Amino acid sequence: MPAVSKGDGMRGLAVFISDIRNCKSKEAEIKRINKELANIRSKFKGDKALDGYSKKKYVCKLLFIFLLGHDIDFGHMEAVNLLSSNRYTEKQIGYLFISVLVNSNSELIRLINNAIKNDLASRNPTFMGLALHCIANVGSREMAEAFAGEIPKVLVAGDTMDSVKQSAALCLLRLYRTSPDLVPMGDWTSRVVHLLNDQHLGVVTAATSLITTLAQKNPEEFKTSVSLAVSRLSRIVTSASTDLQDYTYYFVPAPWLSVKLLRLLQCYPPPEDPAVRGRLTECLETILNKAQEPPKSKKVQHSNAKNAVLFEAISLIIHHDSEPNLLVRACNQLGQFLQHRETNLRYLALESMCTLASSEFSHEAVKTHIETVINALKTERDVSVRQRAVDLLYAMCDRSNAQQIVAEMLSYLETADYSIREEIVLKVAILAEKYAVDYTWYVDTILNLIRIAGDYVSEEVWYRVIQIVINRDDVQGYAAKTVFEALQAPACHENLVKVGGYILGEFGNLIAGDPRSSPLIQFSLLHSKFHLCSVPTRALLLSTYIKFVNLFPEVKATIQDVLRSDSQLRNADVELQQRAVEYLRLSTVASTDILATVLEEMPPFPERESSILAKLKKKKGPSTVTGLEDSKRERGADINGGPEPTPASAASTPSPSADLLGLGAAPPAPVGPPASSGGLLVDVFSDSPSAVAPLAPGSEDNFARFVCKNNGVLFENQLLQIGLKSEFRQNLGRMFIFYGNKTSTQFLNFTPTLICSDDLQATLSLQTKPVDPTVDGGAQVRQAVNIECVSDFTEAPVLNIQFRYGGTFQNVSVKLPITLNKFFQPTEMASQDFFQRWKQLSNPQQEVQNIFKAKHPMDTEITKAKIIGFGSALLEEVDPNPANFVGAGIIHTKSTQIGCLLRLEPNLQAQMYRLTLRTSKETVSQRLCELLSDQF
Amino acid sequence: MSRGKCCKGGEGLEIRFILIQNRAGKTRLAKWYMQFDDDEKQKLIEEVHAVVTVRDAKHTNFVEFRNFKIIYRRYAGLYFCICVDVNDNNLAYLEAIHNFVEVLNEYFHNVCELDLVFNFYKVYTVVDEMFLAGEIRETSQTKVLKQLLMLQSLE
């Protein structure tokens, strides 16, 4: 038996725990637990009042049962009762139960807060400690409301015991983190700063955490902490190892406090006061010196504690980035660690050097370690160490070593862990582009990437190589030749077929003079891959073929035969079939001039931020990459001085219609949480409902597209596709929203929410059920929305979707196209009736008119379709002018029906329209006119 | 002129949770410093176990986990894990674990897994003395043990 009894044990509890441990099966355990729960329930309900000890014992058993993973639905009241006991052990169990089973029951919260209040006022340090720990553990908003004003007083009161001060400081910190608005800054702040001078190092330790967090948000208010922290740090690092007694850990004086003080200093720039600055520099030098001294103990605890301080000092040196001498010393120190026998130190050195590489003072010094780092990539057993080595190589890369680093990364890629391949591919692609002096090298590198790790080459990477080849005419011939050769391989990755197809379609003519790569050979080579490819690739190849028709008239007949074959013309896939039909037709009817114009070489792409970089940022989180990239950019300009390898900016914008292969629509920047949302990390773990994202770009356009139709894709980014299907009858409607996960990774906590303003809620009623919070990769979930139009409305509901994808939190908002015209019932009527009613609605409030310029080609058939799609009847032969369109219908709401007449008068010459709406209700005329005007 | 970068601000550098698990994945202590719902907690527990137990002694004591890092150390059959931000001080937490274990060892006179099972409610007290609100509260073993003995005497 374990040492259960130290004179204080609850025997019944120990017996119960033993019983549970002896259960042979899950069923037996559940049986034993149910028996115990029944027993406890009867004790709690019994007539006999329980004494404190029994109550404590039973509450403790309930807690144990809960911690085993079973639900507990009673006992909260008994736990709360324990809070007002005068015995420490009973109080402790009560507080523990409350802290673990946080309950938002308002009745109990009031009682709990009351008990805490009493304990805080008790002047009994043990009870005060329990109360403070409970607040710090629960940290709810209710508690912040009740105690945020009180705790600063406890913290700075002269007679508060040290241990209570420690707890109060951290308790306040917790409340500040959860409810910063409820913690008022005030007189106490300056007194808190002076706790850095406190005699008791435990108080200083707790206070430093509090000050660091407060200083991050209010740097001005806590500025004075810098000099106090420096002098405290200085006293610690210069003390003899025995001076600090209790706070010396394996001969290292106060290592955790030192780390915290160094972290606090990282909230600020280097001190301006030269004396403080000098003292800090001395401290940092002392810490660096100590690293070179022989260890005072062989124990790993000693070196770990010492190095914890050293690494934090190096972080501060890098953060200040102002003392070249210290930066170089830091780099040398890390260089020693790179070869250390302890894996931990090698790992940390690689990690720390990564940030050092971005400082201009130490960049060169970091580069001298390249061989060691490459060696780490090849020999380290722990994948996380190799990952750090890849990161460091990426960070230390510049034009002088890019070829070597890219080559090493490529060779590592052959054996790299699957989990980091995609990231390495992105990094190689970025470095190859950024530091390419010779673009043939760039093309070779990307093709190598596809060869080695084709599955991990994302669209962004191969789009990018095509953009670059198109923008740089000095590399086009080489690219054509290289892809042609690469395609000779019997098995090549589909991404290579895509790149090859595109490049040969554009620049195949540059190598067609060589009989080994004549047009027919080029075509046969591509076509030999055709049947093994997926539909999008085949579609791309069809476009290549039509481009060949233009480039090489001699293969026209061969290609027409291919296009004409049943497997193309009657392909089950609509996209392929359409391309085949259209291209065949185009090749038959168009003159060579027209062909040459339509199929002209792609104009250069407008230069924009590399989409690959955007992807890497997304993968790694903005904070980790952005800083590095910025510094890289600066350095590129400072040191290399050479022209950046960006193509001429005079590039014209390609017209979308000329872009047959769809590359013009390069993937949009990922829609993520706004960059200002307080750091990715917080978002991921935060369970509090996050703010609703602003509307996704393009949301308005998509919204407008749905005014005259009911089905289609409402939104799409790289992760998520949202489709709609809806039908409406009279004042009711039903909409199905389809959420498609485009990735291969699960979405977690998937929460779509419909948001209506108060006004809208009163006029439009929406009902829906929550969807399953998990959406598997590639899966689609459906959500039905029942819609009722109560009375006429103007706004549209917003659909907000939040979920976690991989490590990141995603937040998307789109306007949901439920518009007033959906509740239209068409009404047929004769000319006479129409004009009679038209005249009846001649009151100025009933008519709304809009004159506007045509945004789309003025096509009669399309216009008719739109009016019908809008929901009204299209009345033929009503208007005396046959060019005009008139419509009529009734808007159904729950309360009323509103008759509507509309008239659209196009003016072809001026490319203008005049739209007139007459209804019996002004707001309806107004809204329908707005909605319909947007459509033409 | 100072070239200092702007403050590391707002990252909330704190412990997200502390877990003690045995090799079989049984939780011996779970202390949460952020709000998670029960399902999420269970998931985290399982994932941490999966991540940590496959590693051997030659590996580092740090492992990336979601967007965080787990700093862990194995003592006999028990894994002590602390989840922190990726850029927090790895070694400081590694030694904080050891400091905590030494306190437990002293307090329970040669601590073993069963002590943690039978005295789970006392372990919480030890944790709260040493870590509070996700921060290191007290590092002096002498002070912590003195306080624990004082509390013990109240029982």
Side-chain angles (χ1 to χ4, degrees), chain A residues 883-896:
Chain A
N884 292 348
F885 306 89
V886 293
I890 297 168
I891 296 281
H892 287 257
T893 74
K894 192 181 177 191
S895 47
T896 57

PDB file of all heavy atoms in Angstrom, chain A residues 883-896:
ATOM      1  N   ALA A 883     -38.282  47.767 -77.718  1.00  0.00           N
ATOM      2  CA  ALA A 883     -36.959  47.637 -77.093  1.00  0.00           C
ATOM      3  C   ALA A 883     -37.051  47.634 -75.570  1.00  0.00           C
ATOM      4  O   ALA A 883     -36.107  47.224 -74.890  1.00  0.00           O
ATOM      5  CB  ALA A 883     -36.050  48.767 -77.555  1.00  0.00           C
ATOM      6  N   ASN A 884     -38.170  48.117 -75.052  1.00  0.00           N
ATOM      7  CA  ASN A 884     -38.302  48.197 -73.592  1.00  0.00           C
ATOM      8  C   ASN A 884     -38.784  46.869 -73.012  1.00  0.00           C
ATOM      9  O   ASN A 884     -39.383  46.057 -73.691  1.00  0.00           O
ATOM     10  CB  ASN A 884     -39.306  49.288 -73.209  1.00  0.00           C
ATOM     11  CG  ASN A 884     -38.758  50.661 -73.537  1.00  0.00           C
ATOM     12  OD1 ASN A 884     -37.572  50.800 -73.833  1.00  0.00           O
ATOM     13  ND2 ASN A 884     -39.626  51.661 -73.524  1.00  0.00           N
ATOM     14  N   PHE A 885     -38.492  46.710 -71.740  1.00  0.00           N
ATOM     15  CA  PHE A 885     -38.926  45.499 -71.045  1.00  0.00           C
ATOM     16  C   PHE A 885     -39.850  45.916 -69.912  1.00  0.00           C
ATOM     17  O   PHE A 885     -39.546  46.871 -69.184  1.00  0.00           O
ATOM     18  CB  PHE A 885     -37.738  44.758 -70.428  1.00  0.00           C
ATOM     19  CG  PHE A 885     -36.649  44.443 -71.416  1.00  0.00           C
ATOM     20  CD1 PHE A 885     -35.623  45.338 -71.648  1.00  0.00           C
ATOM     21  CD2 PHE A 885     -36.664  43.242 -72.116  1.00  0.00           C
ATOM     22  CE1 PHE A 885     -34.625  45.049 -72.557  1.00  0.00           C
ATOM     23  CE2 PHE A 885     -35.664  42.954 -73.029  1.00  0.00           C
ATOM     24  CZ  PHE A 885     -34.638  43.855 -73.252  1.00  0.00           C
ATOM     25  N   VAL A 886     -40.955  45.187 -69.751  1.00  0.00           N
ATOM     26  CA  VAL A 886     -41.789  45.460 -68.584  1.00  0.00           C
ATOM     27  C   VAL A 886     -42.078  44.147 -67.867  1.00  0.00           C
ATOM     28  O   VAL A 886     -42.094  43.080 -68.477  1.00  0.00           O
ATOM     29  CB  VAL A 886     -43.121  46.158 -68.935  1.00  0.00           C
ATOM     30  CG1 VAL A 886     -42.872  47.553 -69.454  1.00  0.00           C
ATOM     31  CG2 VAL A 886     -43.903  45.318 -69.922  1.00  0.00           C
ATOM     32  N   GLY A 887     -42.254  44.275 -66.557  1.00  0.00           N
ATOM     33  CA  GLY A 887     -42.512  43.078 -65.766  1.00  0.00           C
ATOM     34  C   GLY A 887     -43.512  43.397 -64.675  1.00  0.00           C
ATOM     35  O   GLY A 887     -43.726  44.561 -64.327  1.00  0.00           O
ATOM     36  N   ALA A 888     -44.126  42.337 -64.136  1.00  0.00           N
ATOM     37  CA  ALA A 888     -45.079  42.536 -63.053  1.00  0.00           C
ATOM     38  C   ALA A 888     -45.052  41.332 -62.130  1.00  0.00           C
ATOM     39  O   ALA A 888     -44.789  40.209 -62.570  1.00  0.00           O
ATOM     40  CB  ALA A 888     -46.481  42.711 -63.614  1.00  0.00           C
ATOM     41  N   GLY A 889     -45.335  41.602 -60.881  1.00  0.00           N
ATOM     42  CA  GLY A 889     -45.363  40.483 -59.937  1.00  0.00           C
ATOM     43  C   GLY A 889     -45.819  40.960 -58.579  1.00  0.00           C
ATOM     44  O   GLY A 889     -46.111  42.146 -58.380  1.00  0.00           O
ATOM     45  N   ILE A 890     -45.919  40.012 -57.675  1.00  0.00           N
ATOM     46  CA  ILE A 890     -46.366  40.350 -56.315  1.00  0.00           C
ATOM     47  C   ILE A 890     -45.310  39.857 -55.336  1.00  0.00           C
ATOM     48  O   ILE A 890     -44.884  38.696 -55.398  1.00  0.00           O
ATOM     49  CB  ILE A 890     -47.711  39.658 -56.003  1.00  0.00           C
ATOM     50  CG1 ILE A 890     -48.778  40.186 -56.963  1.00  0.00           C
ATOM     51  CG2 ILE A 890     -48.121  39.892 -54.557  1.00  0.00           C
ATOM     52  CD1 ILE A 890     -50.051  39.366 -56.948  1.00  0.00           C
ATOM     53  N   ILE A 891     -44.900  40.745 -54.452  1.00  0.00           N
ATOM     54  CA  ILE A 891     -43.994  40.336 -53.377  1.00  0.00           C
ATOM     55  C   ILE A 891     -44.843  39.830 -52.215  1.00  0.00           C
ATOM     56  O   ILE A 891     -45.722  40.539 -51.732  1.00  0.00           O
ATOM     57  CB  ILE A 891     -43.122  41.521 -52.898  1.00  0.00           C
ATOM     58  CG1 ILE A 891     -42.197  41.997 -54.006  1.00  0.00           C
ATOM     59  CG2 ILE A 891     -42.358  41.161 -51.635  1.00  0.00           C
ATOM     60  CD1 ILE A 891     -40.975  41.159 -54.216  1.00  0.00           C
ATOM     61  N   HIS A 892     -44.550  38.581 -51.805  1.00  0.00           N
ATOM     62  CA  HIS A 892     -45.315  37.999 -50.703  1.00  0.00           C
ATOM     63  C   HIS A 892     -44.545  38.152 -49.404  1.00  0.00           C
ATOM     64  O   HIS A 892     -43.408  37.706 -49.303  1.00  0.00           O
ATOM     65  CB  HIS A 892     -45.543  36.502 -50.956  1.00  0.00           C
ATOM     66  CG  HIS A 892     -46.549  36.234 -52.034  1.00  0.00           C
ATOM     67  ND1 HIS A 892     -47.832  35.841 -51.770  1.00  0.00           N
ATOM     68  CD2 HIS A 892     -46.451  36.328 -53.374  1.00  0.00           C
ATOM     69  CE1 HIS A 892     -48.489  35.679 -52.911  1.00  0.00           C
ATOM     70  NE2 HIS A 892     -47.663  35.977 -53.906  1.00  0.00           N
ATOM     71  N   THR A 893     -45.160  38.766 -48.423  1.00  0.00           N
ATOM     72  CA  THR A 893     -44.593  38.722 -47.077  1.00  0.00           C
ATOM     73  C   THR A 893     -45.679  38.135 -46.188  1.00  0.00           C
ATOM     74  O   THR A 893     -46.821  37.975 -46.622  1.00  0.00           O
ATOM     75  CB  THR A 893     -44.178  40.109 -46.563  1.00  0.00           C
ATOM     76  OG1 THR A 893     -45.359  40.827 -46.221  1.00  0.00           O
ATOM     77  CG2 THR A 893     -43.401  40.878 -47.611  1.00  0.00           C
ATOM     78  N   LYS A 894     -45.286  37.848 -44.947  1.00  0.00           N
ATOM     79  CA  LYS A 894     -46.261  37.219 -44.059  1.00  0.00           C
ATOM     80  C   LYS A 894     -47.434  38.171 -43.818  1.00  0.00           C
ATOM     81  O   LYS A 894     -48.586  37.767 -43.767  1.00  0.00           O
ATOM     82  CB  LYS A 894     -45.588  36.883 -42.729  1.00  0.00           C
ATOM     83  CG  LYS A 894     -46.402  35.978 -41.850  1.00  0.00           C
ATOM     84  CD  LYS A 894     -45.665  35.719 -40.543  1.00  0.00           C
ATOM     85  CE  LYS A 894     -46.511  34.877 -39.617  1.00  0.00           C
ATOM     86  NZ  LYS A 894     -45.921  34.844 -38.277  1.00  0.00           N
ATOM     87  N   SER A 895     -47.109  39.451 -43.692  1.00  0.00           N
ATOM     88  CA  SER A 895     -48.154  40.392 -43.330  1.00  0.00           C
ATOM     89  C   SER A 895     -48.956  40.884 -44.543  1.00  0.00           C
ATOM     90  O   SER A 895     -50.178  41.005 -44.452  1.00  0.00           O
ATOM     91  CB  SER A 895     -47.543  41.576 -42.577  1.00  0.00           C
ATOM     92  OG  SER A 895     -46.403  42.022 -43.262  1.00  0.00           O
ATOM     93  N   THR A 896     -48.270  41.150 -45.638  1.00  0.00           N
ATOM     94  CA  THR A 896     -49.010  41.710 -46.768  1.00  0.00           C
ATOM     95  C   THR A 896     -48.480  41.177 -48.083  1.00  0.00           C
ATOM     96  O   THR A 896     -47.458  40.510 -48.141  1.00  0.00           O
ATOM     97  CB  THR A 896     -48.850  43.255 -46.849  1.00  0.00           C
ATOM     98  OG1 THR A 896     -47.466  43.531 -46.942  1.00  0.00           O
ATOM     99  CG2 THR A 896     -49.454  43.966 -45.699  1.00  0.00           C
TER     100      THR A 896
END
